[in-house]
Amino acid sequence: MTHALGFTEEDLRRLAGTRSFERGLGYLSAVSRLDIGVAVITATVDGTDAYEVELAEDEAGGLTGWCDCPYGQDGNFCKHCVALGLTVLGQTHCVQQQRSAATSRTRLLNTWLEARTREELLALVREQLADDRDLRRRLELRAATAGQDTVTARERILSLLDTRPFARYGYVEYADARAYGQQATEAVNALRTLTASGQAGAAVEVAREALLALGRAYGEIDDSDGLIGVVATGLAEAHLEACRTALPDPVETAEWLVGHLLDDGNDVTDTELFDYREVLGEPGMARARELVVAAWRANPKGWTQKYLMERLLKADGGSVDALVAVHAADLAPNGHTHLVIAKELEAAGRAAEALEWAERGLREAESDRGPDDDLVAFVCERYARACRLADVVALRRDLLGARPSLAAYQYLRTAARAAGAWDGSERAGALEVLKAAAQPQKDQWYDGSALVDALMDDADLDAAWQAAADGYADQQQWLSLADRIRDRQPADALTVYLRWIDPLRKQTGDSTYERMAELLLSARSCHRTLGTEAEFAAYLAALRTDQKRKRKLMATLDQHGL
């Protein structure tokens, strides 16, 4: 293993960002208790509090940092990590020596431990247990799971999943979730040990309780890193392993399993019914089918009930009609479920019925929610395959009328061009639809019309300019249009830039100053094309005089060479 540092100052800057990196420069003198190990570097950095900081290098040369300051606990590479990294880089000359010393210390410790007698090692462990309550509890759990004390094992495993010691305000916050997850992982290991030590039957029962406990607590944990989800998956896998070993009563297991799958608390585990096929056998699977069908009939609109029915039908080779019935019992208002049914029918070789369902979805979609874009694309693609291009155009035309937008206009244009019917009345009609949907208003800042966007998208800039002049454009559309005509119509573009500079004179803030500078640069470009640079210089001088009290604006203008 190499002893050289695998990171550079630039790596620290990249990981931390410029702001945290620069703030880290002020903490170099606050680094203490530095310990350079083979792959891990630790230290204490004094800030608002004394923070424990750790840098770790992986075999590929990547660097990670952890700090128990609030910013670091949110997963950020903080200023304290930067300070530690820079301190270590400043001691590059002795890193190899310190890492070699760490390797030697580890080797020496291992040699010393191997030379101790059984009695000496036991005395050493007991000494540590007297001072470390967490270590004592972990070893007590291992002792219980390795022996026959299932009562103690159950108690310890469930206590490891108790969130109360970590929920300072009734909720496990992100800063505490990592420690809770590490503790909960011990519960997974203990369950597997129970199974491996010949107590699989007990492991089955305890795992059920553990899954229930974590499922109920999960909603009160900030699991942004997904660590608790990994623990939940581990619990589910430990339960399955125990079942495969113990082979509990298949019918009773099926009843528990289906109940667990239908419980909202199962969302965290993603337990899969068919993973238990071997455990359940035919009697258990038959009982599971009965329960799933009954649950679906009682609540055909339940997401889990529908999912389980779909999985059963597909796994058992059920008929497509039965699958369609499951989906048809709860049709989404945007037509998405119709699309799901259409795809199932098409996959079964029933293309005509598939298209009928898709067309039905278009008809039944609620106007404020649909139709689903994928459903529309499905129907249009099938029409095109059948050379029904006029039907594609008609559908796209109807959708534009129902929900006018630039995207709907573009879809209609593509369809009409494919059918050779765009230039002429089709385009004119589409533009009339967009115009009718807009409300003209002079000098509006927001909510410009799709009409102007469509005309610019068509590169019909003269018509777009006229629509904007008629009040159909907002500020951003005016500016986009000015940018596109600036080279050939600099005088018109200049009027737009100057018009939108004036309101900014009364505003403050960094974003406002940057926006004013951008508009001034565009205006200067127009004056250069017109050969009127002196006029722009006079305008800029007057503006700077008028705004001179805004020192940040003056600095921004200077930065842009204005």
Side-chain angles (χ1 to χ4, degrees):
M1 177 182 291
T2 179
H3 293 285
L5 286 172
F7 64 91
T8 64
E9 182 175 315
E10 187 56 37
D11 291 325
L12 298 176
R13 184 185 295 274
R14 175 179 52 80
L15 289 167
T18 301
R19 180 175 176 81
S20 288
F21 180 85
E22 291 178 351
R23 295 182 70 183
L25 294 173
Y27 284 82
L28 297 181
S29 61
V31 178
S32 62
R33 299 175 60 192
L34 175 63
D35 184 12
I36 301 177
V38 175
V40 177
I41 302 166
T42 61
T44 299
V45 180
D46 292 323
T48 306
D49 202 343
Y51 298 117
E52 298 303 314
V53 187
E54 177 182 295
L55 298 179
E57 297 178 84
D58 58 31
E59 294 183 357
L63 179 68
T64 57
W66 180 85
C67 177
D68 62 358
C69 73
Y71 189 63
Q73 288 185 12
D74 283 342
N76 299 296
F77 196 93
C78 66
K79 60 189 177 184
H80 307 113
C81 292
V82 171
L84 174 54
L86 292 173
T87 298
V88 175
L89 287 174
Q91 301 180 16
T92 306
H93 60 283
C94 62
V95 167
Q96 180 172 347
Q97 178 182 352
Q98 294 190 51
R99 286 186 163 172
S100 296
T103 302
S104 297
R105 289 195 300 272
T106 300
R107 187 183 305 114
L108 178 62
L109 177 59
N110 288 336
T111 301
W112 182 80
L113 288 172
E114 290 168 0
R116 298 306 94 198
T117 65
R118 179 176 182 276
E119 289 71 20
E120 289 173 328
L121 290 175
L122 284 173
L124 181 61
V125 171
R126 292 187 179 111
E127 178 184 333
Q128 295 301 312
L129 292 177
D131 296 329
D132 191 332
R133 183 193 303 181
D134 289 337
L135 176 61
R136 183 180 187 85
R137 287 178 175 175
R138 289 198 297 271
L139 292 185
E140 285 176 345
L141 176 58
R142 294 191 183 187
T145 54
Q148 300 297 318
D149 189 357
T150 55
V151 174
T152 300
R154 172 188 173 278
E155 176 187 316
R156 288 287 185 263
I157 289 171
L158 295 180
S159 69
L160 289 171
L161 298 172
D162 186 359
T163 59
R164 286 176 295 180
F166 300 88
R168 290 177 289 181
Y169 307 104
Y171 179 84
V172 181
E173 298 180 328
Y174 178 84
D176 300 308
R178 183 170 181 259
Y180 172 73
Q182 291 174 334
Q183 175 177 294
T185 300
E186 290 288 328
V188 176
N189 296 334
L191 285 168
R192 287 176 168 150
T193 301
L194 270 179
T195 298
S197 62
Q199 302 176 77
V204 170
E205 297 303 320
V206 178
R208 290 184 183 183
E209 292 187 75
L211 286 167
L212 178 62
L214 185 59
R216 288 175 174 172
Y218 187 71
E220 302 300 321
I221 303 172
D222 183 345
D223 190 29
S224 299
D225 287 343
L227 178 58
I228 314 305
V230 173
V231 172
T233 300
L235 288 177
E237 291 173 349
H239 177 262
L240 179 57
E241 291 170 10
C243 287
R244 285 172 173 167
T245 301
L247 295 178
D249 179 80
V251 173
E252 190 277 334
T253 301
E255 292 172 349
W256 174 85
L257 180 60
V258 173
H260 175 66
L261 292 171
L262 292 171
D263 192 310
D264 291 339
N266 176 54
D267 290 345
V268 66
T269 65
D270 288 332
T271 302
E272 173 58 57
L273 173 63
F274 289 93
D275 288 343
Y276 285 79
R277 187 190 290 272
E278 175 187 340
V279 173
L280 298 178
E282 189 49 42
M285 286 302 299
R287 181 58 177 153
R289 291 186 188 93
E290 292 176 5
L291 293 170
V292 169
V293 171
W296 174 72
R297 286 176 176 169
N299 184 15
K301 295 187 176 183
W303 186 92
T304 305
Q305 289 84 347
K306 287 174 58 179
Y307 172 77
L308 289 175
M309 274 297 294
E310 181 182 354
R311 291 286 293 119
L312 277 175
L313 289 170
K314 288 187 175 182
D316 293 344
S319 71
V320 174
D321 291 319
L323 191 58
V324 168
V326 170
H327 291 301
D330 181 30
L331 295 171
N334 67 348
H336 176 73
T337 318
H338 297 78
L339 175 61
V340 172
I341 293 172
K343 289 182 176 180
E344 293 289 353
L345 289 167
E346 190 172 70
R350 295 158 63 175
E353 293 175 72
L355 183 56
E356 288 175 5
W357 265 100
E359 291 173 327
R360 176 181 163 185
L362 293 178
R363 293 192 302 271
E364 296 180 354
E366 295 181 5
S367 59
D368 60 336
R369 299 192 182 183
D372 180 83
D373 290 340
D374 291 336
L375 174 63
V376 174
F378 180 92
V379 173
C380 287
E381 185 177 342
R382 272 61 186 177
Y383 283 169
R385 289 180 188 175
C387 297
R388 296 171 57 182
L389 299 183
D391 289 333
V392 178
V393 173
L395 174 56
R396 290 299 184 184
R397 184 191 306 124
D398 290 344
L399 291 173
L400 175 66
R403 305 175 81 175
S405 67
L406 174 61
Y409 178 86
Q410 291 169 327
Y411 279 125
L412 173 58
R413 182 178 64 195
T414 299
R417 281 177 174 170
W422 178 240
D423 295 326
S425 61
E426 194 67 59
R427 177 175 184 264
L431 292 172
E432 281 300 319
V433 169
L434 295 181
K435 185 175 182 179
Q439 293 294 328
Q441 181 179 345
K442 293 292 185 179
D443 294 335
Q444 56 185 324
W445 283 78
Y446 306 106
D447 299 324
S449 70
L451 173 64
V452 174
D453 287 333
L455 289 168
M456 286 196 289
D457 198 56
D458 282 342
D460 191 350
L461 300 183
D462 290 337
W465 183 268
Q466 185 58 55
D470 291 339
Y472 290 96
D474 63 13
Q475 181 203 37
Q476 189 55 52
Q477 289 174 322
W478 268 114
L479 294 173
S480 295
L481 186 55
D483 289 343
R484 296 184 66 171
I485 68 170
R486 187 166 66 199
D487 292 339
R488 64 185 181 89
Q489 295 174 244
D492 289 333
L494 178 59
T495 62
V496 175
Y497 297 134
L498 295 179
R499 181 195 314 162
W500 294 107
I501 288 173
D502 280 342
L504 298 179
R505 292 170 178 258
K506 300 177 182 180
Q507 301 176 31
T508 59
D510 291 353
S511 61
T512 297
Y513 300 153
E514 284 292 337
R515 189 67 180 134
M516 185 179 289
E518 292 173 8
L519 292 173
L520 286 168
L521 289 171
S522 296
R524 184 174 67 183
S525 177
C526 292
H527 276 290
R528 284 175 175 171
T529 302
L530 293 166
T532 55
E533 290 96 331
E535 184 178 331
F536 175 75
Y539 173 85
L540 180 59
L543 183 144
R544 292 185 73 109
T545 299
D546 178 62
Q547 302 283 298
K548 62 183 178 181
R549 292 185 178 181
K550 298 177 181 177
R551 288 178 292 179
K552 192 67 177 290
L553 172 60
M554 297 298 104
T556 301
L557 297 181
D558 290 340
Q559 290 171 3
H560 288 278
L562 291 165

